[in-house]
């Protein structure tokens, strides 16, 4: 290798170092401008565009505000347009089908001292996923350019992060161990993205979850009509055909679902014995729409199936269900619907779906 080759190699190395340094300088300047825009709230520092007014910095404190069983009250943090309807509070995130709910979700907000990128946000999401909690977790980030909460994108830059865990469902409640794991994971995320972190009071969080669990259990009601074979056991093929004619769809062997046009579960049909001499037709009260039509549809389906399968309709004790039963049950159901709405849970609505939905 002669001197000319050495000179050319040296020049090339210098140019590469200079280009690398220039790119790093540009990256630092972009981050400085983004930080400045987040502090001042005056626009997009990268594009030089005017930005909308920044969302209010205050967070909605997760809470339950439910009165005694005889005098239920709606949660104070929610102002529904109609009784029981869930309305997103101003500035609340609505990301990937999840909407922050002050009654159901415990949310920790991380405000960062410097902008963090999408790779860090996605790693934060992965940290929550690795917890494998029995209750749903969600993550949203604040995009200062678009001025809204969003799911993290690898190429984005963000200024705030929300991490949320649902406090209860009909099958699970957030206990002290899982609550501690969730908070510890969020604290690690805060360290990774250089965010402020205020540890919550763990006893209060667990108490809130227990209150929500009690509220959930209070309205966890099913109405079941039993179809009892009057002669020989019902053949499986006959049951499947009758269920299909009544609008039910097979979910798995021995189980059929009937849903409305919105996908809400109206009722289930279950084979309750190996001999196929009994079928259970069930209305899952909190998941079905809160009107008399749901109960009427249950009785209509029961009479249709009974006629097709040569069965009789009985209660849990084997006594025949008479013609007055629908009216009696309907009156009690109306009272339960009123209590649910007063507690801020619309039967068949978004809250009810999150609290009671089963796979």
């Amino acid at each position: 290798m002669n001197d000319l080759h050495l000179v050319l190699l040296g020049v090339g190395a210098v140019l590469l170092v200079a280009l690398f340094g220039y790119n790093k300088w540009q990256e630092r300047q972009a981050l400085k401008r983004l930080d400045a825009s987040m502090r001042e709230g005056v626009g997009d520092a990268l594009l030089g565009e005017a930005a909308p007014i920044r969302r209010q910095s205050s967070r909605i404190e997760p809470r339950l505000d439910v009165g005694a069983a005889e005098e239920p009250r709606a949660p104070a943090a929610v102002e529904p347009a109609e009784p029981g309807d869930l309305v997103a509070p101003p500035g609340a995130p609505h990301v990937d089908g999840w909407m922050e709910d002050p009654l159901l979700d415990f949310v920790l907000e991380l405000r960062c001292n410097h902008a963090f990128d999408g790779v860090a946000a996605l790693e934060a999401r992965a940290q929550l996923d690795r917890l494998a909690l029995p209750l749903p977790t969600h993550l949203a980030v604040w995009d200062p350019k678009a001025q809204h909460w969003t799911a993290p994108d690898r190429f984005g830059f963000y200024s705030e992060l929300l991490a949320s865990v649902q406090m209860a469902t009909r099958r699970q409640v957030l206990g002290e161990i899982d609550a501690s794991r969730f908070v510890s994971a969020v604290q690690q995320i805060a360290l990774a993205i250089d965010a402020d972190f205020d540890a919550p009071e763990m006893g209060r969080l667990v108490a809130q979850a227990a209150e929500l669990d009690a509220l959930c259990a209070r309205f966890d009601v099913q109405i079941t009509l039993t179809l009892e074979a009057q002669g020989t056991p019902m053949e499986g093929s006959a049951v499947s055909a009758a269920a299909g004619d009544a609008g039910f769809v097979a979910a798995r062997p021995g189980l059929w679902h009937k849903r409305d046009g919105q996908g809400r579960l109206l009722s289930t049909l279950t084979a309750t014995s190996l001999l196929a001499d009994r079928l259970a037709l069930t209305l899952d009260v909190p998941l079905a729409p809160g009107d008399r039509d749901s109960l009427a549809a249950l009785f209509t389906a029961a009479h249709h199936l009974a006629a097709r399968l040569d069965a009789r309709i009985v209660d849990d004790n084997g006594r025949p269900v008479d013609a007055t039963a629908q009216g009696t049950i309907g009156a009690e159901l109306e009272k339960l619907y009123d209590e649910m709405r007063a507690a801020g849970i619309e039967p068949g609505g978004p809250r009810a779906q999150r609290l009671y939905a089963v796979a």
Side-chain angles (χ1 to χ4, degrees):
M1 182 178 293
N2 56 34
D3 293 342
L4 179 58
H5 289 159
L6 293 175
V7 170
L8 291 175
L9 287 175
V11 171
V14 170
L15 288 175
L16 287 175
V17 171
L19 181 60
F20 178 78
Y22 177 72
N23 288 336
K24 285 294 183 181
W25 178 83
Q26 280 193 320
E27 182 179 340
R28 286 196 299 270
Q29 293 302 311
L31 289 176
K32 286 179 181 179
R33 290 195 299 271
L34 184 58
D35 283 337
S37 71
M38 290 184 293
R39 290 192 299 269
E40 299 171 8
V42 297
D44 185 343
L46 293 178
L47 300 180
E49 298 173 349
I53 297 175
R54 187 73 162 83
R55 65 183 284 274
Q56 294 297 318
S57 60
S58 59
R59 293 288 303 123
I60 298 168
E61 182 68 21
R63 59 175 297 184
L64 289 175
D65 187 11
V66 180
E70 64 276 9
E71 296 181 0
R73 293 176 295 161
V78 178
E79 297 180 0
E82 296 179 5
D85 284 348
L86 173 60
V87 177
H94 193 175
V95 176
D96 289 343
W98 168 73
M99 180 170 61
E100 179 186 352
D101 187 330
L103 181 65
L104 308 185
D105 296 318
F106 178 77
V107 179
L108 289 173
E109 180 176 8
L110 304 181
R111 298 183 178 181
C112 303
N113 299 315
H114 304 285
F116 62 97
D117 60 27
V119 174
L122 289 171
E123 174 56 29
R125 174 68 264 180
Q127 281 186 256
L128 292 184
D129 291 340
R130 284 194 292 269
L131 290 175
L133 295 179
L135 290 155
T137 59
H138 301 278
L139 183 142
V141 287
W142 178 259
D143 185 339
K145 182 170 67 174
Q147 290 287 293
H148 62 67
W149 292 101
T150 183
D153 179 85
R154 179 176 298 276
F155 302 104
F157 283 93
Y158 309 107
S159 59
E160 298 178 39
L161 180 148
L162 292 183
S164 134
V165 61
Q166 186 169 322
M167 293 182 289
T169 65
R170 76 189 327 170
R171 293 181 174 177
Q172 301 286 345
V173 60
L174 188 66
E176 186 173 356
I177 294 176
D178 284 336
S180 298
R181 293 177 62 215
F182 172 75
V183 172
S184 296
V186 177
Q187 187 173 22
Q188 293 173 11
I189 293 170
L191 290 173
I193 63 176
D194 191 21
D196 297 327
F197 179 81
D198 295 323
E201 185 181 339
M202 200 61 63
R204 183 183 177 189
L205 169 55
V206 173
Q208 285 180 221
E211 289 181 42
L212 179 59
D213 183 52
L215 181 67
C216 180
R218 176 179 162 195
F219 304 122
D220 195 356
V221 175
Q222 286 82 40
I223 297 172
T224 299
L225 302 175
T226 300
L227 300 173
E228 185 178 69
Q230 299 190 89
T232 59
M234 295 171 275
E235 294 183 3
S237 58
V239 172
S240 295
D245 289 343
F248 289 83
V249 176
R252 62 173 184 266
L255 175 65
W256 296 263
H257 288 163
K258 186 175 185 178
R259 301 181 181 273
D260 66 8
Q262 301 179 37
R264 294 178 296 186
L265 184 65
L266 295 178
S267 54
T268 60
L269 179 66
T270 311
T272 59
S273 70
L274 294 177
L275 296 177
D277 58 349
R278 293 170 70 88
L279 299 172
L281 185 60
T282 303
L283 171 67
D284 200 334
V285 172
L287 287 177
D291 53 43
R292 286 184 175 267
D293 291 344
S294 298
L295 183 64
L298 182 78
F299 273 85
T300 298
H303 288 295
H304 174 86
L305 292 166
R308 284 286 304 269
L309 299 171
D310 189 25
R312 63 174 187 158
I313 305 171
V314 298
D315 61 18
D316 291 340
N317 297 316
R319 295 172 299 194
V321 174
D322 59 34
T324 64
Q326 183 174 340
T328 303
I329 296 172
E332 294 299 316
L333 197 55
E334 288 293 335
K335 295 178 183 178
L336 184 64
Y337 287 152
D338 289 341
E339 292 179 4
M340 289 183 68
R341 293 186 176 105
I345 303 173
E346 175 66 25
R351 277 187 175 153
Q353 295 297 325
R354 288 186 59 187
L355 276 172
Y356 298 99
V358 294

